[in-house]
Amino acid sequence: MGQHEHVRVAVIGSGFGGLGAAVRLRREGITDFVVLERADSVGGTWRDNSYPGCACDVPSHLYSFSFAPNPDWPRTFSGQQHIRAYLEHVTDTFRLRPHLRFRHEVKMMTWDNDALRWKIETSRGTLTADVVVSATGPLSDPKIPDIPGLASFEETGGRVFHSARWDHDYDLAGKRVAVIGTGASAIQIVPSIQPKVGRLTLFQRTPAWVMPRMDRAITGAERWLHRQLPFTGKARRGLLWGIRELQVSAFTKRPAELGLVESIAKANMARAIKDPALRAKLTPSYRIGCKRILLSSDYYPALARPNVDVVASGLSEVRGRTLVAADGTEAEVDAIVFSTGFHVTDMPIAERVVGADGITLAEAWKDGMEALRGATAAGFPNWMTIIGPNTGLGNSSMILMIESQLNYLADYMKQLDALDGQGGRAALAARPSAVAAWNRRVQARMERTVWKSGGCDSWYLDANGRNTTLWPGTTSEFRRATRTVDLSEYEVVRVREGAVA
């Protein structure tokens, strides 16, 4: 990459959001763009997460782009390797390879008020762009808690790694392994490694609600039908989408209706966990849905095996090879696997974006993330994020939300092109009043949701207790809200007189 390269659009990240943005730009006739990726291949979270048992908890035909259907999904819930292969296929099908810049980690992005463009410093050079599309995603930077004494564990030869940075060179066979956390990755890891480890100790700060995972192989006849008659695949996708749209009101308006779902989860537990004491440890005290509902049919059976211990307390200290829980329980282990999630409400990329006022996005968001229609932030012209604040979902496919944001991106670029033709280059800056009004409406709706009223403390909430992660409505509502750009919500910024563009 040349030191002085300039592009119309720079996309950051090559997961679903980044590749989707690249496809949409090409379909809109925009080819002057690059996709900056810090790794050496596409895939995003589906490249980084390769732990044993890694799979999606959204049905395959819904967890794929509507413009790139895959009739050959092998299972109703796809594994990591199949999703990653799908993203490679999308990359090739839509001829995105020439736009990719691998091993280009973004170090800093700085807005130039005079030139109306972004200066982007990467690990392999600098470039400028009129528009930045940040698609790094909220599940990209692992979070490992600061545990006193953790360094002493490694000094004794113990192995430590996060689920999103799995150490495939380390053989777990016969080892004493601790898994920290009980989220979506942990419930897949535990049953996958339980048969091979010598002893598995699960440190559970808060139990999760776990529903049966209705996974099965998709038959050859089904795949043939979807290939020969594509409308059948669309119908399948539509049915999966419609069912989830009907479920939304229980999460967002009437949490009491989730009682039936709770009883199904309890029955799922009772089938495998016969020990009343263990069942008590595993039964949550909050309303189902307050934290993400997990799907597994083998998690509870694994916990009931004789080589598994469940510690109903979080890890508080490490003394050499001894792990000490908050309740005083101790366990001697050889390896620690942190399944402790990601920096979702404090995304590190925000520290690398400097806006029009000379402050970072992290500083602008110090009291909580806010973005107009989940896409643009006040003080950061011509900058857009995919899977931004309050665009997450608790029960459906994020690909639906991504595609809605791609519609917004497409219209954003059309508006910029029209403005450029009216009197020189221009930029669009989200008005602080528009951002504030949008977020007041979102947060007001959030108060009725199970995520706020369900009695739990989840990763959906930021340090101030605000849910800046999820969308409190249906995907169709969000689609309508992001179909076009309302110019009244933006200030049009022109190149200053005498400035060099």
Side-chain angles (χ1 to χ4, degrees):
M1 184 172 61
Q3 190 71 12
H4 303 289
E5 181 181 8
H6 177 76
V7 293
R8 179 62 168 160
V9 184
V11 179
I12 318 299
S14 66
F16 267 100
L19 295 179
V23 171
R24 189 57 184 266
L25 289 171
R26 283 189 62 95
R27 296 180 81 177
E28 294 296 321
I30 300 171
T31 57
D32 183 18
F33 70 89
V34 294
V35 179
L36 303 175
E37 170 55 59
R38 65 185 178 185
D40 57 6
S41 62
V42 302
T45 193
W46 294 105
R47 174 199 60 236
D48 296 342
N49 286 269
S50 59
Y51 58 79
C54 184
C56 191
D57 59 2
V58 176
S60 303
H61 288 273
L62 196 58
Y63 200 79
S64 48
F65 291 120
S66 63
F67 54 78
N70 179 15
D72 291 312
W73 288 116
R75 302 194 66 82
T76 52
F77 290 89
S78 290
Q80 174 263 346
Q81 70 275 26
H82 300 119
I83 298 174
R84 185 177 181 186
Y86 170 77
L87 290 173
E88 293 282 1
H89 173 74
V90 168
T91 301
D92 291 329
T93 299
F94 292 93
R95 303 187 302 281
L96 302 182
R97 299 281 176 195
H99 300 279
L100 293 170
R101 302 287 191 274
F102 292 128
R103 295 180 292 281
H104 280 67
E105 180 178 5
V106 172
K107 299 296 186 180
M108 190 65 68
M109 293 179 277
T110 306
W111 176 252
D112 186 330
N113 283 312
D114 294 326
L116 297 191
R117 59 182 46 163
W118 287 94
K119 178 183 178 183
I120 306 169
E121 301 169 55
T122 81
S123 56
R124 303 189 69 178
T126 301
L127 76 159
T128 56
D130 295 330
V131 177
V132 166
V133 179
S134 181
T136 58
L139 306 182
S140 57
D141 291 285
K143 177 184 289 187
I144 294 181
D146 185 13
I147 306 295
L150 185 59
S152 68
F153 182 80
E154 295 183 278
E155 289 169 0
T156 64
R159 195 66 64 96
V160 178
F161 48 91
H162 191 278
S163 58
R165 302 291 185 269
W166 194 268
D167 187 346
H168 291 280
D169 293 329
Y170 184 69
D171 186 3
L172 295 177
K175 299 292 196 306
R176 300 168 300 175
V177 180
V179 174
I180 316 300
T182 52
S185 58
I187 70 158
Q188 296 177 342
I189 292 169
V190 167
S192 297
I193 68 173
Q194 174 270 319
K196 68 176 68 173
V197 302
R199 187 145 212 91
L200 192 155
T201 304
L202 177 68
F203 284 79
Q204 171 193 269
R205 188 174 59 181
T206 308
W209 285 109
V210 182
M211 295 283 286
R213 182 181 178 86
M214 309 304 288
D215 186 29
R216 65 171 178 83
I218 297 177
T219 66
E222 289 174 282
R223 296 198 296 273
W224 179 88
L225 185 66
H226 295 330
R227 283 194 302 272
Q228 300 302 314
L229 301 173
F231 76 87
T232 61
K234 292 181 180 179
R236 185 173 190 159
R237 177 186 175 90
L239 178 62
L240 292 167
W241 167 78
I243 291 172
R244 282 155 181 78
E245 288 289 274
L246 293 174
Q247 296 170 347
V248 171
S249 64
F251 288 86
T252 59
K253 297 177 182 178
R254 294 180 288 275
E257 294 181 356
L258 292 166
L260 175 61
V261 183
E262 214 165 270
S263 64
I264 296 173
K266 287 180 179 178
N268 183 44
M269 184 194 306
R271 278 193 293 271
I273 306 298
K274 304 304 181 183
D275 178 4
L278 179 55
R279 196 181 306 163
K281 285 183 180 181
L282 298 173
T283 302
S285 59
Y286 55 87
R287 170 65 74 186
I288 194 170
C290 185
K291 288 176 176 280
R292 187 174 180 89
I293 299 174
L294 307 181
L295 303 180
S296 178
S297 297
D298 52 12
Y299 176 64
Y300 288 138
L303 296 184
R305 301 299 298 169
N307 68 330
V308 177
D309 296 313
V310 176
V311 178
S313 183
L315 177 62
S316 66
E317 184 183 357
V318 178
R319 302 171 188 160
R321 289 293 187 95
T322 303
L323 275 56
V324 184
D327 65 359
T329 302
E330 297 185 359
E332 296 282 332
V333 302
D334 303 306
I336 303 174
V337 178
F338 282 100
S339 296
T340 44
F342 300 84
H343 289 276
V344 175
T345 59
D346 58 341
M347 293 186 289
I349 191 68
E351 299 174 356
R352 306 182 185 192
V353 185
V354 180
D357 298 325
I359 65 172
T360 67
L361 185 61
E363 292 171 318
W365 281 352
K366 66 181 185 300
D367 295 324
M369 300 189 301
E370 291 188 342
L372 176 61
R373 303 181 188 274
T376 54
F380 298 83
N382 282 12
W383 180 90
M384 182 178 296
T385 181
I386 305 294
I387 315 184
N390 292 114
T391 61
L393 297 175
N395 76 313
S396 193
S397 172
M398 279 307 302
I399 313 307
L400 301 170
M401 302 295 278
I402 289 172
E403 289 198 30
S404 292
Q405 292 198 287
L406 298 183
N407 290 340
Y408 198 72
L409 169 62
D411 197 57
Y412 192 96
M413 297 305 300
K414 289 176 182 176
Q415 299 284 2
L416 275 180
D417 287 343
L419 290 168
D420 286 350
Q422 294 172 9
R425 283 198 314 105
L428 287 173
R431 296 182 183 275
S433 58
V435 177
W438 170 262
N439 282 280
R440 278 197 302 271
R441 294 196 296 271
V442 169
Q443 292 302 322
R445 293 182 63 179
M446 198 67 71
E447 292 301 316
R448 298 176 60 186
T449 68
V450 69
W451 312 307
K452 285 285 287 186
S453 63
C456 75
D457 181 16
S458 74
W459 59 267
Y460 299 147
L461 309 181
D462 65 16
N464 299 312
R466 293 173 66 233
N467 189 328
T468 57
T469 305
L470 298 183
W471 167 245
T474 63
T475 61
S476 53
E477 283 181 280
F478 190 76
R479 179 65 57 97
R480 290 192 295 271
T482 53
R483 184 165 288 134
T484 58
V485 171
D486 180 354
L487 281 181
S488 70
E489 296 181 326
Y490 289 87
E491 177 186 357
V492 178
V493 184
R494 295 285 184 183
V495 174
R496 296 173 184 175
E497 187 175 348
V500 178

